[in-house]
Amino acid sequence: MSDTIRIIEVKNDGQMRVFLDLPHGVHREHPLWVPPLKSQERDLLTPGRHPFWDNAEGKLFLALRSDTPVGRIAAFRDHKANAYAGRAIGAWGFFECLNDMPAAHALFDAVYDWHLAGNAQFLRGPLNPSTNYTCAMLVSGFDKAPSIMMPWNPPYYPLLAESWHMRKEQDLFAYMFTRSVMNTSDMVSKELALVKERGEFNVRLSSKATLKADIALMLDIYSASWADNWAFCPISEAEVARHIAELQSLLDPELFALFYHNGEPAGGMLALPNFNPLLKALNGSFGIGTPWHVLRTRSEVAKGYRLLLFGVKPQYRMIGLPLLVLDVMFDCARKRPGLQWVEGSWSLEDNDQINQLIEDFGGVLDKRYRIYRREMTRA
């Protein structure tokens, strides 16, 4: 039987099951890997099931060595993102592979060829499937557990990408705040006191009654705050509705704050409990033991939160609102005796102002993730 690599396109349910199962074969021996929910991933990857596909098209590929699946990848044309950027960007994501360079290169070749036919100017990834979802590849911090909705991959993944001439386009930072540093420095405390004394901002914590509307408002704030940032992708109304449906049962309203200036929404922060211990216990699917796993992992989940969304509209950034947002986050976190850490992720590497602010509040750079790029060449 031939030992050569064969690439096939996912075209039927059986091949989709292989695509969804493949990460378990690659990572099952790695204690830090967190299995995604297969049903959720299937929906996200299936046109007609998820609103991402209302403005996108794509292909899923499997790499087989002697008929054994050894890798997978997805290619996307995100028309909404490309229209906003004014460029034809060939996105790729959902990459998983054994430490098999020929297989990885064959998968990247399949993505390249598909995007070449679609006149893409360059490749960008991993995006799963855009910056509004899970994205990037871990390049530093391999010995540390990921927080909710952040990827983990072994150290050989970046080597596979770079051996195919992928190059860094942007790094994303994950900052760690431990309970012991959830106190502001004297300098920051003085600036905060001035902001509070001026009384320009009002803060409101979310509640179960307002949660749905508050998530929609936070996503509006996020869009206004990030619109000029690298690789920003607008969120469609249908995607907003989907995010609301998925987040509503997971959020803790007491770690979700909205800020107002003269009655107008000005900024917000939203933290999500770190459900990864539960996801590890579920091992990719719900079952009869799910309620028991929920109870068993409850205290571990409560130890950590991820600051998932942090947004301040541009006109309020220089009058102290970012300071106030982080201060409220710390205040909310300190009220929870079981909470031991908060991860702020992710922040753009070149966003010097926000990164400096995070470090002034005691945040320590804990992990680094990378978005890769490769130019397209035509004869």
Side-chain angles (χ1 to χ4, degrees):
M1 186 176 291
S2 173
D3 195 38
T4 58
I5 295 296
R6 183 162 55 98
I7 300 296
I8 64 170
E9 182 185 338
V10 173
K11 292 185 175 180
N12 58 49
D13 192 61
Q15 292 166 339
M16 176 62 90
R17 284 197 298 271
V18 174
F19 192 93
L20 298 174
D21 288 342
L22 191 138
H24 294 257
V26 174
H27 300 303
R28 65 164 53 101
E29 301 302 324
H30 295 280
L32 295 179
W33 178 66
V34 179
L37 290 172
K38 293 180 186 179
S39 59
Q40 190 175 60
E41 191 167 76
R42 178 188 286 270
D43 283 352
L44 181 55
L45 288 167
T46 304
R49 288 195 183 185
H50 195 281
F52 168 78
W53 295 99
D54 294 347
N55 299 285
E57 57 185 310
K59 298 286 184 182
L60 308 181
F61 300 101
L62 287 166
L64 308 179
R65 180 181 287 280
S66 300
D67 294 325
T68 299
V70 294
R72 73 175 202 183
I73 202 167
F76 306 105
R77 292 191 191 107
D78 187 339
H79 301 302
K80 175 164 49 62
N82 288 354
Y84 187 83
R87 293 178 291 178
I89 301 166
W92 61 271
F94 294 93
F95 173 76
E96 303 284 1
C97 193
L98 295 175
N99 193 2
D100 186 328
M101 190 173 292
H105 286 192
L107 287 167
F108 291 136
D109 285 343
V111 167
Y112 186 96
D113 291 344
W114 188 73
H115 279 303
L116 192 66
N119 295 316
Q121 296 171 259
F122 63 90
L123 300 183
R124 173 183 287 166
L127 304 173
N128 306 322
S130 80
T131 53
N132 294 325
Y133 301 83
T134 304
C135 63
M137 184 180 288
L138 183 67
V139 295
S140 176
F142 299 104
D143 59 337
K144 298 171 182 177
S147 64
I148 185 71
M149 297 170 64
M150 292 296 289
W152 183 90
N153 53 261
Y156 68 80
Y157 270 33
L159 301 178
L160 293 178
E162 290 162 17
S163 68
W164 192 76
H165 306 295
M166 294 277 193
R167 294 294 178 259
K168 167 185 166 181
E169 183 175 14
Q170 179 78 240
D171 275 3
L172 313 180
F173 288 170
Y175 281 96
M176 179 61 66
F177 300 92
T178 58
R179 193 171 189 88
S180 62
V181 302
M182 289 184 187
N183 294 290
T184 55
S185 65
D186 290 343
M187 179 190 71
V188 173
S189 295
K190 290 178 181 177
E191 293 181 16
L192 263 171
L194 292 174
V195 173
K196 292 177 179 178
E197 185 178 342
R198 291 201 305 268
E200 294 180 90
F201 299 103
N202 296 316
V203 60
R204 174 178 66 81
L205 295 183
S206 188
S207 67
K208 290 183 178 180
T210 63
L211 190 57
K212 183 176 180 179
D214 289 345
I215 295 171
L217 179 56
M218 183 68 228
L219 290 171
D220 283 343
I221 292 170
Y222 161 79
S223 294
S225 304
W226 283 72
D228 295 328
N229 283 0
W230 171 86
F232 172 77
C233 176
I235 307 175
S236 70
E237 290 185 9
E239 286 178 290
V240 168
R242 185 61 173 250
H243 280 305
I244 289 172
E246 293 178 348
L247 289 173
Q248 204 169 352
S249 62
L250 302 177
L251 285 176
D252 182 342
E254 294 180 1
L255 277 161
F256 181 6
L258 295 164
F259 298 78
Y260 295 81
H261 183 268
N262 294 330
E264 292 296 319
M269 73 93 184
L270 183 158
L272 189 66
N274 182 43
F275 286 103
N276 276 354
L278 174 59
L279 290 174
K280 284 178 69 68
L282 294 176
N283 196 32
S285 60
F286 296 110
I288 193 170
T290 296
W292 181 76
H293 289 310
V294 171
L295 290 173
R296 184 174 64 85
T297 60
R298 180 176 294 173
S299 61
E300 191 68 23
V301 167
K303 289 180 181 178
Y305 279 68
R306 178 187 168 201
L307 183 56
L308 179 67
L309 292 176
F310 177 105
V312 173
K313 292 182 178 179
Q315 61 268 40
Y316 305 112
R317 291 173 187 165
M318 303 307 294
I319 56 175
L321 183 53
L323 293 170
L324 192 59
V325 173
L326 284 178
D327 182 61
V328 169
M329 182 196 76
F330 279 174
D331 187 54
C332 292
R334 283 190 293 262
K335 292 176 181 177
R336 296 181 168 270
L339 190 148
Q340 298 179 7
W341 57 266
V342 174
E343 179 179 287
S345 56
W346 41 265
S347 170
L348 294 171
E349 177 186 28
D350 59 8
N351 194 342
D352 296 331
Q353 287 186 330
I354 192 65
N355 292 336
Q356 185 59 59
L357 175 66
I358 289 171
E359 292 172 13
D360 287 344
F361 269 79
V364 175
L365 182 59
D366 192 57
K367 305 181 194 75
R368 185 188 291 256
Y369 300 85
R370 183 158 296 165
I371 301 287
Y372 284 99
R373 173 171 174 150
R374 176 168 164 173
E375 304 300 321
M376 308 290 287
T377 57
R378 291 173 172 82

